[in-house]
Amino acid sequence: MKKNKEQLLIKDVMNEGVVSVHPEASVQEAKDIMRSRGFSGIPVIDKDNCLLGIISVADIIRALENDALEALVKEYMTSRVITINANASVGQALRLFHNHKFGRFPVVNNEGEVVGIVTHGDVIGRLAVFLGIDEEPLDEEKEQEPINKEFIPQIFEYPIRALDFDRTGEGASSLKKILAELGVSRDIVRRSAIAAYEAEINVMIHAREGKMTANISPQEITIIVEDQGPGIDNIPLAMRKGYSTAADKFRQMGFGAGMGLPNIKKSADKLFVENTCKGLRLIIKIMPEKIA
Amino acid sequence: MQVKRKLSEIKELLQATSYTEHNLEEIYTETVCGADLLSDVLAFTKEKTLLLSGLIHPQVIRTAEMLDLAGVVFVRGKIPSQEMIDLAKTKNIPILSTAYPMFESCGLLYKLGLGGNFLEEK
Ligand SMILES: Nc1ncnc2c1ncn2[C@@H]1O[C@H](COP(=O)(O)OP(=O)(O)O)[C@@H](O)[C@H]1O
Ligand SMILES: [Mg+2]
């Protein structure tokens, strides 16, 4: 991808080398780390580098009120964490900060591993330097930087909720709409929608709860569907046409023919299926410019 | 050569009821697919196809949405719920209902000159 050099990405402004705490550590330990490093929140990461939550000053105060500094971090952390991709733009980060009251977001790579942390101050500070507004007042004579009018990489995130069968498919539907609005060709929109929908249906049928994330650039659409489910023991077997462990009630709805994963593979240019510490992860890549 | 048919003609032939506000005079289809297996529909159906189905739940409409189908006809007198009608309106998918069972519905449309569709698997 021809990256516009004027575009500032999260990976350019984030703090690498994350200070984290283990879920089994005590709240006291978390509090000490936060005090010595001067942080008001740190990510909770287990030995598999899986992000489980974030523990903040507010969580520590709750523990203090309960006189529970000996309790485990995992009992007091906030487990619904909103993450941002390292390749997101700072504009997207600003929107996240605006929409959520959190002061910091863990930064993840395409594999979902935590690679850094970004605070509101980091973004604003670096943005000021980047725009030159921390040095000198804007001079009307000065040449204005051209605004990037190109297709900006878009990040999109959608939760797939437990037992919400009627809403399943909303993630794929939103993705389809965004792609169409971005002017992506019909065939690519359709292939992306089918792959995303089948993946969403699988979370619903086989795992129940999960999340869909999409990274959209003109050269590549990456759809990541992660769930908190049992994962798959034998992935090559699950990829075979006709292999299914779906419950009868889903078969009666017209699913569970063992054709979902093969159809995702057919619709995608690349498909990676892997077990994570929490469940299953599908990484679906569709390349608009690839000539079939 | 396959013929194109307006959904309004199909509605009349199947004595169907329409549940959305689409102008069926302006929507055309040349292929029809009769299926109760959504997995099959998702794997093999071309866009602009009319789906006939005996299944009646919101995922039928979502399937039609993902594939850009021309519309859905629920056969054997199945009536969509208000929730399904609202979803179909939001997703811009015409939905109809006919008293004819699947076989008769398909037969009538086949006689009208409409074809099936089968996308060769890669
Ligand atoms: N998200 C998931 N979590 C756990 N198992 C899964 C998941 N997705 C697929 N599987 C397993 O892989 C099998 C094949 O999946 P798929 O080809 O989509 O067929 P189907 O969903 O119709 O069963 C499933 O029956 C299930 O055993
Ligand atoms: Mg499936």
Side-chain angles (χ1 to χ4, degrees):
Chain A
M1 180 190 162
K2 184 170 70 79
K3 197 182 96 187
N4 187 323
K5 70 177 192 307
E6 299 302 339
Q7 209 194 342
L8 200 54
L9 302 181
I10 290 304
K11 63 181 171 209
D12 305 322
V13 307
M14 70 181 187
N15 303 291
E16 287 172 64
V18 193
V19 176
S20 66
V21 65
H22 197 269
E24 307 281 343
S26 68
V27 174
Q28 176 73 51
E29 286 170 74
K31 177 171 156 283
D32 292 344
I33 299 172
M34 285 159 70
R35 180 152 63 189
S36 68
R37 308 295 291 255
F39 296 143
S40 52
I42 45 176
V44 182
I45 296 176
D46 69 10
K47 59 176 183 356
D48 298 324
N49 206 15
C50 254
L51 177 67
L52 303 182
I54 205 158
I55 184 152
S56 68
V57 171
D59 299 322
I60 305 265
I61 291 174
R62 268 194 308 122
L64 273 170
E65 281 173 348
N66 295 343
D67 200 14
L69 284 178
E70 296 313 312
L72 302 183
V73 163
K74 66 178 181 192
E75 297 166 40
Y76 276 89
M77 69 184 184
T78 304
S79 45
R80 279 235 155 254
V81 193
I82 295 171
T83 58
I84 187 157
N85 192 287
N87 291 313
S89 69
V90 295
Q92 289 164 324
L94 287 174
R95 225 172 303 144
L96 264 190
F97 282 116
H98 181 81
N99 293 339
H100 304 275
K101 57 186 192 324
F102 306 121
R104 71 201 60 249
F105 293 109
V107 180
V108 293
N109 61 17
N110 284 344
E111 279 67 56
E113 292 156 352
V114 180
V115 293
I117 195 151
V118 68
T119 67
H120 191 237
D122 294 333
V123 175
I124 300 292
R126 285 296 300 271
L127 204 54
V129 174
F130 182 73
L131 297 172
I133 50 181
D134 64 327
E135 297 155 355
E136 50 195 303
L138 271 184
D139 187 348
E140 286 210 71
E141 296 289 300
K142 229 180 98 182
E143 239 182 275
Q144 287 283 320
E145 298 276 58
I147 297 168
N148 181 8
K149 289 244 169 56
E150 273 181 48
F151 186 122
I152 300 169
Q154 301 271 325
I155 307 246
F156 153 94
E157 218 181 274
Y158 209 93
I160 304 165
R161 281 195 208 89
L163 302 173
D164 201 357
F165 206 87
D166 289 349
R167 278 189 64 82
T168 303
E170 265 310 300
S173 177
S174 309
L175 176 65
K176 183 171 190 267
K177 213 167 129 203
I178 292 169
L179 291 176
E181 278 167 9
L182 288 170
V184 174
S185 74
R186 280 182 76 90
D187 172 57
I188 297 295
V189 173
R190 192 170 186 269
R191 282 167 50 198
S192 305
I194 293 172
Y197 182 59
E198 286 280 14
E200 226 179 322
I201 291 285
N202 275 357
V203 173
M204 204 63 241
I205 297 183
H206 307 291
R208 299 191 168 172
E209 192 135 7
K211 182 175 83 175
M212 178 186 300
T213 317
N215 281 282
I216 307 162
S217 79
Q219 286 73 19
E220 189 171 280
I221 298 162
T222 306
I223 305 163
I224 302 171
V225 179
E226 292 168 296
D227 63 53
Q228 283 126 50
I232 301 182
D233 280 342
N234 187 339
I235 294 176
L237 178 65
M239 293 298 303
R240 277 196 218 151
K241 268 185 209 158
Y243 176 83
S244 175
T245 58
D248 267 355
K249 69 168 173 179
F250 297 116
R251 291 174 199 257
Q252 278 155 23
M253 293 183 77
F255 297 113
M259 294 173 49
L261 289 173
N263 196 14
I264 295 172
K265 193 168 163 69
K266 187 178 84 174
S267 306
D269 289 310
K270 281 187 192 156
L271 169 67
F272 304 95
V273 183
E274 58 198 27
N275 290 302
T276 67
C277 51
K278 290 182 200 148
L280 193 73
R281 172 158 58 221
L282 294 192
I283 303 176
I284 301 161
K285 287 188 186 282
I286 294 170
M287 282 94 152
E289 286 178 4
K290 193 177 152 223
I291 295 146
Chain B
M1 246 294 277
Q2 285 175 348
V3 293
K4 263 190 179 180
R5 293 291 182 179
K6 292 179 185 170
L7 289 199
S8 53
E9 285 177 82
I10 293 173
K11 173 176 179 279
E12 199 172 322
L13 181 67
L14 296 180
Q15 297 173 34
T17 311
S18 165
Y19 293 93
T20 58
E21 275 114 51
H22 288 93
N23 182 354
L24 302 183
E25 288 286 327
E26 287 173 358
I27 304 171
Y28 289 85
T29 186
E30 53 184 50
T31 47
V32 178
C33 165
D36 286 349
L37 190 55
L38 295 178
S39 302
D40 258 352
V41 177
L42 282 161
F44 303 115
T45 309
K46 282 194 290 190
E47 61 178 355
K48 305 289 163 224
T49 295
L50 181 67
L51 174 64
L52 269 54
S53 186
L55 291 172
I56 190 137
H57 58 76
Q59 296 302 336
V60 182
I61 292 163
R62 294 197 186 271
T63 297
E65 180 204 358
M66 301 306 154
L67 296 168
D68 297 314
L69 300 188
V72 180
V73 180
F74 299 107
V75 299
R76 201 185 275 280
K78 299 211 169 69
I79 310 289
S81 65
Q82 189 57 45
E83 189 197 358
M84 290 178 65
I85 296 169
D86 292 342
L87 184 67
K89 286 180 182 166
T90 313
K91 304 302 178 189
N92 194 20
I93 303 291
I95 54 173
L96 299 101
S97 166
T98 177
Y100 289 112
M102 182 69 98
F103 181 76
E104 282 85 338
S105 301
C106 290
L108 285 167
L109 296 181
Y110 201 84
K111 264 206 302 204
L112 191 65
L114 287 162
N117 80 71
F118 184 70
L119 259 188
E120 291 283 305
E121 265 189 87
K122 271 185 209 159

